[in-house]
Amino acid sequence: MNYVRYIAAFLFTVMIVNCCQSQTTVHGNVVPPAKVQLKFDSLYPHAYNMNWRLRQKDESVQIISFDCNCEEGTGHLTITFDTNGTILGKETRIYKTSLPGTIINYIENNYPNNFEYGDITKIKNEGETSYKIDLKQDVPDGNATSGWTYTLKFKASGEFVSVDKR
């Protein structure tokens, strides 16, 4: 009996099933559902440096990071969509000058001179706005990269929420 035909048919079937199941990725890149892509394209037609990915805990959630000169500001944004194209959350990198004065005062009073600002992010999630600020601690040799990094979280009102030290 000639098993080559059966083996070839089996392998062909496995390849077809595998291709059908992995339509969310092409060459390792995530391809969002059409509804999500249309929503994104309508909101951010001038986006560039786009990188789609799936949320690790819930692969039905699409996340895109990109650069844009848009209404949120000029810079880097990260947006989370559900499969219907609804925005679940939005993170925008901002400058220190865009922070509320209460946050700047808190940092100046609680983290004096030996800290430099790192990433500053404005987060909009489920109607709530918050801020996340990375501070890098200088060590005696003046090198901020060899010290601690603190991630401070604040409510939109400027109220301190938490700190994480790494």
Side-chain angles (χ1 to χ4, degrees):
M1 224 182 192
N2 189 352
Y3 292 106
V4 173
R5 287 184 188 169
Y6 294 110
I7 293 171
F10 173 75
L11 291 174
F12 180 74
T13 304
V14 168
M15 286 177 19
I16 293 297
V17 168
N18 189 29
C19 287
C20 291
Q21 289 179 341
S22 65
Q23 287 190 7
T24 58
T25 61
V26 174
H27 304 294
N29 297 318
V30 173
V31 177
K35 287 181 183 179
V36 175
Q37 185 70 56
L38 286 171
K39 178 73 171 195
F40 176 77
D41 289 343
S42 70
L43 293 172
Y44 301 98
H46 302 294
Y48 57 98
N49 294 334
M50 295 172 285
N51 179 27
W52 287 97
R53 65 185 187 279
L54 300 173
R55 181 182 284 165
Q56 290 179 347
K57 295 178 184 176
D58 182 1
E59 290 192 358
S60 68
V61 176
Q62 307 280 320
I63 301 170
I64 183 167
S65 297
F66 61 100
D67 295 315
C68 184
N69 184 5
C70 46
E71 68 182 51
E72 286 90 347
T74 300
H76 190 77
L77 285 85
T78 301
I79 299 179
T80 305
F81 290 94
D82 68 10
T83 54
N84 293 318
T86 303
I87 294 176
L88 302 175
K90 190 182 293 187
E91 296 184 8
T92 309
R93 287 206 189 131
I94 61 172
Y95 296 104
K96 176 183 173 184
T97 54
S98 299
L99 284 171
T102 53
I103 294 176
I104 293 172
N105 289 339
Y106 180 91
I107 292 171
E108 288 175 357
N109 291 330
N110 293 284
Y111 297 89
N113 304 328
N114 60 343
F115 287 90
E116 76 177 45
Y117 283 81
D119 289 339
I120 302 171
T121 308
K122 182 177 183 179
I123 303 165
K124 289 187 178 183
N125 197 3
E126 298 177 9
E128 297 289 322
T129 300
S130 60
Y131 295 91
K132 182 175 77 173
I133 298 107
D134 289 342
L135 295 177
K136 297 176 181 168
Q137 183 180 32
D138 288 335
V139 291
D141 67 359
N143 187 351
T145 60
S146 61
W148 291 97
T149 298
Y150 295 81
T151 301
L152 286 77
K153 294 181 182 174
F154 294 87
K155 292 183 180 180
S157 63
E159 179 185 342
F160 174 75
V161 176
S162 67
V163 64
D164 179 35
K165 180 179 175 182
R166 297 179 257 124

